[in-house]
Amino acid sequence: MKFYLLPSNKILDFIQGLSRKGPVYYSQLRDGNTHLVRFDPDKDFLPEFKGIRTAENIKHFFLPSRSTVARYPDDEKISAPHQVLFGVKSCDLRGVDVYDRIFLKWEPIDPLYKARRENTIIISADCPEPADTCFCNLVGINPYAEATADLNFTEIESGLLFETFTKKGEEIIKQFQDLFTEPDKGDEKERQMIRRSAVQKLRAINEKQFRAGLAQAVEQVDEEKVRQARDECVECLSCLFSCPTCYCFLLADYKKGKNIERVRVWDGCYYSGYARVGGGMNPRPKFDERFWNRFLCKFTYFYQYEEIYACTGCGRCNSGCMAKIDIREILWQL
Amino acid sequence: MAVINPYYPIPTKIKEIIPETPSITTFVLDGRPIDFSAGQFAELTVPGVGEAPFTPSSSPYAEDLEFTIMKVGRVTSALFELKPGDSIGVRGPFGKPYPLDAFKKKEIFIVGGGVGFAPLRSLFLALVHNIKHYKKIYIRYGARTPQDIVYKKLIPEWQKIDKVDILLTVDRGDDSWKGKVGVITVILDEIPVNVNSAPTIVCGPPLMMKFVTQRLVEAGFKDEHIYLSMEKNMSCGIGKCNHCRVGKFYVCKDGPVLTWKDIKDIEEPFI
């Protein structure tokens, strides 16, 4: 494996260089949380790569909460922005992986997602300090990237230690080769130590694994367990909209001059009208059914297709829940 | 090659409007904006209002593309306001066709209810187009009243076709009605086909689907030979938006017709 070291005093130069390709969004510490902020050369550059995934979800960059997908009757081209995501954590990469399978692998491909994906450079960062809400280790993910991103880096004493995953990533390294230096064996060892320590911390946070045969257990759940699990839920949908793997949307048409815009807006399966048909019939009229649909979707059906869970362990559903519902507790109960 | 945007509705116009019943109308589109095979469906767009999924009711071999639609919701209500010459958009075809090759040399037992006859008409016309391949086609159709029967003028013509056997029933008759009276299952007491080999195809309202399926299973049809049209909320039509999922199936992509074998373990699959 080939490594490239970006010395600490070159990080800003790298970001500035990348910003010529499109807006760069990087993680910054603010009010105790890491946030995704847009790099602005006129403002202080205050990166924070040790903290957990940002509060903001990167799915907005690939599947915005509201985006135009077609214009008719004039078939105007829909453009996709060029953008760079810097410091993405491995849990959020799983979200992109899930989307890639749905929108690029499953036929037919979604050309709008594809264009956004191709125009986005993803640079991920190791996650050395997992928080209590994190559980990527329970859904088969390590706290460091192993694929999906174009480049990944580990923050070490002397700078950022990079490796490449894609051709796009290799080209970036080549383009900015003057900024990079050759790492030594000590740097690689430091990376190993950081990773090992992160894995151990995660194990300490989540000692108990989810049960074997989770997909089947979720499908065969008894009604009482569902009722208990959703008992405190206030149906705010924060868990759905903050989830990196939730992707449900609906198409809505709006008149715009002589043309009509077809807009894709996020939808959520907790809404009572989500699956209702024109005639009024509803396959999931009870909230218990809609609540559990989220679990079936992520842990049973997606798993049946792809043999991975559509859950990243990012913990946004836990930290955003005003009823303090912890998805881990629900799954451990099965 | 230009990338086709699957969300873009092909603009066309309404050529003709044929009222079928007080609440059901057949819309004939101008030209052939899309091709399809029997069983596949399309999304129809009412400009500025939105779209909804419908299965064509015309033959896949016909020049015109027709949809027989019941006025039930927001999009269909807007559709019923349109006149010949008005603009409309079409996306598709979506979903999987009926496996017509597997139906060859067999008796085919078609059961429809209400507006559910629409997609079955498309299937029926596709079968009739190549009728030499099939042993015999049976249609069993039920409507609420004689007034609610769709394709009233066409049915007597179809009854004259060799190897076609059609029986109708209405829930409530009137003075002019000389046929059977009672819900659809009254014309399913006698199943005149070899249930070991015959495929049976069902489309109708959810309750009718439930009871007809029960009857067909009782009669001995094989689970994998019972083809059921699923009515689900659909938005994208291409297996992305997740609305139409039933169990692990995406009705828009794996259906819209699924077999009883596929869905029998799902609680209330027709609702």
Side-chain angles (χ1 to χ4, degrees), chain A residues 37-53:
Chain A
V37 295
R38 185 171 166 161
F39 171 71
D40 182 342
D42 297 328
K43 286 187 183 155
D44 288 342
F45 175 58
L46 302 164
E48 160 59 46
F49 302 127
K50 286 203 167 62
I52 60 166
R53 49 55 186 179

Side-chain angles (χ1 to χ4, degrees), chain A residues 69 73 102 106 110 267 305, chain B residues 5 7-8 233 240 243 248:
Chain A
V69 292
I102 294 161
W106 295 1
D110 185 307
D267 200 1
Y305 282 110
Chain B
N5 181 352
Y7 302 109
Y8 175 75
N233 181 319
K240 309 292 183 205
H243 282 85
K248 67 169 192 171

Side-chain angles (χ1 to χ4, degrees), chain A residues 79-334:
Chain A
S79 60
H82 287 266
Q83 49 204 5
V84 182
L85 306 179
F86 198 93
V88 174
K89 296 295 152 108
S90 122
C91 52
D92 280 353
L93 293 177
R94 164 62 66 89
V96 177
D97 182 18
V98 167
Y99 278 15
D100 282 354
R101 291 170 197 243
I102 294 161
F103 294 106
L104 299 179
K105 183 181 156 194
W106 295 1
E107 294 280 346
I109 64 145
D110 185 307
L112 301 151
Y113 177 84
K114 184 168 183 264
R116 279 183 172 266
R117 187 74 172 82
E118 282 172 355
N119 288 353
T120 305
I121 296 165
I122 306 178
I123 300 173
S124 56
D126 281 15
C127 193
E129 302 290 346
D132 286 347
T133 48
C134 297
F135 61 97
C136 63
N137 64 324
L138 300 186
V139 288
I141 303 171
N142 279 315
Y144 48 84
E146 289 160 298
T148 310
D150 297 301
L151 291 167
N152 180 70
F153 66 83
T154 312
E155 187 173 23
I156 58 170
E157 201 60 37
S158 51
L160 307 181
L161 187 64
F162 278 83
E163 64 183 310
T164 64
F165 292 136
T166 66
K167 224 179 167 74
K168 204 154 67 175
E170 284 167 22
E171 281 161 13
I172 291 166
I173 295 283
K174 212 166 151 190
Q175 193 189 338
F176 295 97
Q177 57 187 334
D178 295 347
L179 298 177
F180 290 89
T181 60
E182 194 76 23
D184 58 35
K185 283 271 172 269
D187 293 334
E188 286 173 42
K189 202 154 186 191
E190 193 182 340
R191 180 178 106 136
Q192 256 177 29
M193 300 289 285
I194 289 168
R195 289 188 164 187
R196 203 171 297 154
S197 148
V199 169
Q200 278 165 357
K201 283 173 194 162
L202 270 164
R203 276 193 200 134
I205 295 166
N206 304 294
E207 284 175 23
K208 196 174 153 192
Q209 286 292 317
F210 292 144
R211 57 166 292 169
L214 182 66
Q216 210 178 3
V218 167
E219 197 169 27
Q220 291 166 355
V221 70
D222 69 72
E223 287 176 15
E224 183 52 28
K225 277 215 169 100
V226 175
R227 200 199 59 74
Q228 281 170 11
R230 69 106 184 111
D231 201 33
E232 304 261 310
C233 175
V234 296
E235 299 176 51
C236 71
L237 277 75
S238 151
C239 52
L240 302 185
F241 293 135
S242 67
C243 176
T245 70
C246 272
Y247 61 92
C248 289
F249 64 82
L250 48 82
L251 301 172
D253 290 4
Y254 299 93
K255 282 181 184 152
K256 199 173 181 187
K258 282 184 182 166
N259 233 0
I260 291 158
E261 294 233 328
R262 176 154 291 172
V263 174
R264 161 153 66 188
V265 286
W266 288 355
D267 200 1
C269 63
Y270 282 9
Y271 287 127
S272 59
Y274 173 86
R276 191 168 55 215
V277 296
M281 300 295 272
N282 192 343
R284 292 188 286 276
K286 291 187 204 144
F287 182 63
D288 287 28
E289 296 160 331
R290 298 197 294 279
F291 183 84
W292 203 249
N293 180 65
R294 168 175 155 233
F295 290 78
L296 286 164
C297 184
K298 293 181 188 305
F299 296 97
T300 304
Y301 303 133
F302 193 77
Y303 186 84
Q304 284 173 353
Y305 282 110
E306 295 293 335
E307 293 182 349
I308 58 167
Y309 300 122
C311 173
T312 72
C314 74
R316 285 188 182 89
C317 53
N318 300 345
S319 49
C321 182
M322 59 179 91
K324 302 258 178 286
I325 297 172
D326 188 326
I327 192 171
R328 286 172 293 193
E329 298 292 344
I330 295 170
L331 294 169
W332 275 326
Q333 294 284 322
L334 296 176

Side-chain angles (χ1 to χ4, degrees), chain B residues 77-88:
Chain B
S77 297
L79 196 57
F80 273 62
E81 298 293 315
L82 300 181
K83 295 178 286 299
D86 282 348
S87 296
I88 189 169

